Amino acid sequence: MKIQPILLGIIWLFFSCQERKSENKLQDITKNKISINQEPLDLLEEPPANITSPKGMVWIPGGTFEQGAESSDVMAMKHEKPAHPVAVDGFFMDETEVTNAEFKKFIEETGYVTVAEREIDWKEMKKQLPPGTPKPHDSILQPGSLIFKKTKNSVPNLYDYSQWWEWKIGANWKHPQGPESSIENKDEHPVVHITYEDAVAYCEWAGKRLPTEAEWEYAAKGGFTDARFSWGDDETELSKKANTWEGEFPNENTVADGFENKAPVKSYPPNNYGLYDMAGNVWEITQDWYNADYYKEQSEKELAKNPLGAEKPNNPQIQEKVIKGGSFLCNASYCASYRPTARMGNSLDSSQEHLGFRTVVTVEMISDKR
């Protein structure tokens, strides 16, 4: 088992945030076209008449959009810019993040063991560490995952994430906050402590796949062209629209949105496409490699249709996938990642208390099953 936790001081969680005002435009969410100087594209906008929406999924109509943050968006990080034109064919997407109940069914039918539950292989682990790194005591090298721990006092240095993240032995999808916790009566909560490998295994069982970053962002925007949020551009609506951290992070949460930790799916209104929790609650894994230079490279090319993201990650030693949407820990002073354009890298084998996923299905995938 490979792992990049605070256990050995290796975790890649980077956030930043600022604030701005922008002009909100809602486009036709059926056709969802943006005026881009490009020849007409042969895009799948609506599903064929003989294709019905899979249970728990909604149709996202094909169209074109500007992926990435506007140059004037002071909330955005450098790796979210520049915005560049992208076209995507229509697809089906889960209404919600994959829940504990759905993941439990997968486990029961397959016997799959998640990465956070597996014994740690020191021989494999030390390949990722500097030569000569001493082996930690066996009492430390135990299966587990990262959990959030609220601090007692204010934290002057918000770049030191070790102050609120803790490596917890026994933490996994069945025990989100450690071995004493459980998911009893939490069937409708999003499953967490999921790695990329775990999400792909679920997708293979379900006959689905992870969304690309472009698909995810396009769907999250819900038909808006340049609004900062999935519901529009009114930041005062945040507590009504998303599960985030409101108050002083990471020591005081006012719980203005009703939840301090994860919320059951569908606790907040959906966006214009009928998708829930595309902002906050838990981060969601995509299939794209994370590369901080990818947007810059794309801006120098022609309009991309159904892009698959960067060809390779930034760091070959610690390979990361793009995660989207932010989580219940996002706060205006620390993390504005509840915006559709926000993105972050997460290593393939890292799991945390605020990381889950949702799936997509294309028309071709449904047709291939017949």
Side-chain angles (χ1 to χ4, degrees), residues 127-138:
K127 294 177 183 178
Q128 305 170 75
L129 303 173
T133 299
K135 179 182 178 182
H137 192 275
D138 288 343

Side-chain angles (χ1 to χ4, degrees), residues 205-281:
W205 168 78
K208 301 177 181 180
R209 67 166 170 80
L210 291 172
T212 64
E213 182 180 12
E215 288 171 337
W216 196 100
E217 185 171 323
Y218 174 74
K221 288 185 173 182
F224 288 101
T225 59
D226 63 356
R228 287 179 297 170
F229 312 111
S230 59
W231 60 87
D233 207 48
D234 187 353
E235 193 169 4
T236 65
E237 290 287 297
L238 180 62
S239 63
K240 300 176 184 178
K241 303 293 188 180
N243 179 19
T244 63
W245 186 282
E246 295 187 286
E248 184 180 354
F249 184 86
N251 61 298
E252 181 184 1
N253 191 334
T254 65
V255 196
D257 53 33
F259 297 91
E260 184 166 40
N261 203 279
K262 294 169 291 295
V265 297
K266 297 187 177 182
S267 292
Y268 303 89
N271 73 358
N272 289 319
Y273 286 150
L275 299 169
Y276 296 85
D277 294 317
M278 297 302 278
N281 214 21

Side-chain angles (χ1 to χ4, degrees), residues 148-155 163-164 245 248-252:
F148 170 74
K149 58 175 183 179
K150 184 191 275 189
T151 62
K152 294 181 180 180
N153 303 305
S154 298
V155 175
Q163 296 172 97
W164 56 86
W245 186 282
E248 184 180 354
F249 184 86
N251 61 298
E252 181 184 1

